Amino acid sequence: MLSNRSNEVLSYWYSLRRANKAPLRTQLDPTAIRSRLPDLIMLGWQDLDLVFRLAGTRVCELFGEELRDHDFETLWNPRSRDQVVEATLSAFRSETAIHCSVNATQDGRHVRLEMLLLPLRSAEGACDRLLGSIVLGEDAHPSYPIDPGSLVLKTWQPAFPPGTEPATSTEFARHGSSQSFIRRLFHLS
């Protein structure tokens, strides 16, 4: 179940979505979700890397540094990186909202985070950015930064508008090699 803070961002994203297509970036109006801006991130491609284009103040404080232009992958434990790549690529391919349950280490303690990955399209129609949010779980302390490289992806699955959860919600398949998929996606092999 999503937190109220995540539900607010997810509801806004779904309000912009038309005909099962991700919203255009130009449709975003930050004033519509002003209270959630500190929790938001924007990810985009730089060569074959997904990097932070923007990160809200609460997200930067959570990781103890400004994240703009940082590689998204570096936040993650190496064992989770393939799953994270699959989750982000799934959001892009399907133009579907993805909810991630994440474990992290904070001041030597294990804590939970909640992350949304919401695809956006360019004016040309290419799905090339992810709007997202990162929210601390109740067991985390907002004053301590998350240890670098400690994020572990527990689960990821489609996120539906609040109150419209399908009768059977199954997690997306997470099998196969992400690296080979990326190479095929970009016609590198």
Side-chain angles (χ1 to χ4, degrees):
M1 183 153 98
L2 294 174
S3 69
N4 289 338
R5 289 167 37 188
S6 292
N7 269 330
E8 189 177 333
V9 175
L10 184 64
S11 294
Y12 176 66
W13 183 83
Y14 268 106
S15 76
L16 301 176
R17 192 170 190 238
R18 300 287 180 263
N20 292 325
K21 293 275 191 189
L24 295 170
R25 288 193 315 251
T26 56
Q27 291 178 270
L28 288 181
D29 176 10
T31 62
I33 50 175
R34 178 177 292 134
S35 64
R36 297 287 59 91
L37 292 178
D39 299 323
L40 296 184
I41 60 173
M42 180 76 69
L43 302 172
W45 294 106
Q46 184 174 328
D47 299 320
L48 293 180
D49 297 322
L50 201 55
V51 299
F52 285 92
R53 298 293 182 200
L54 297 169
T57 54
R58 203 167 10 240
V59 174
C60 290
E61 289 170 1
L62 178 62
F63 291 96
E65 64 181 314
E66 171 60 52
L67 293 174
R68 186 181 180 120
D69 296 326
H70 277 63
D71 187 338
F72 180 62
E73 191 175 285
T74 63
L75 299 181
W76 298 88
N77 181 296
R79 294 176 305 209
S80 281
R81 289 181 182 165
D82 281 349
Q83 290 177 320
V84 171
V85 168
E86 288 184 45
T88 56
L89 290 177
S90 179
F92 282 120
R93 282 192 317 261
S94 65
E95 297 188 32
T96 301
I98 299 292
H99 171 256
C100 300
S101 294
V102 179
N103 284 347
T105 306
Q106 182 187 53
D107 195 38
R109 297 179 316 118
H110 293 287
V111 296
R112 290 182 301 256
L113 304 173
E114 180 175 78
M115 183 180 297
L116 287 176
L117 301 171
L118 310 167
L120 298 172
R121 291 181 296 128
S122 67
E124 295 78 29
C127 201
D128 62 354
R129 296 277 169 104
L130 289 174
L131 172 67
S133 69
I134 300 176
V135 177
L136 280 172
E138 293 176 6
D139 57 350
H141 194 284
S143 298
Y144 298 109
I146 297 295
D147 296 343
S150 74
L151 297 186
V152 175
L153 184 60
K154 295 253 319 166
T155 62
W156 61 276
Q157 60 192 28
F160 300 97
T164 61
E165 197 73 26
T168 59
S169 175
T170 57
E171 193 170 325
F172 277 24
R174 296 183 299 202
H175 302 291
S177 169
S178 298
Q179 295 300 325
S180 64
F181 175 78
I182 292 170
R183 297 186 70 73
R184 287 192 312 274
L185 180 70
F186 289 100
H187 309 289
L188 299 174
S189 52

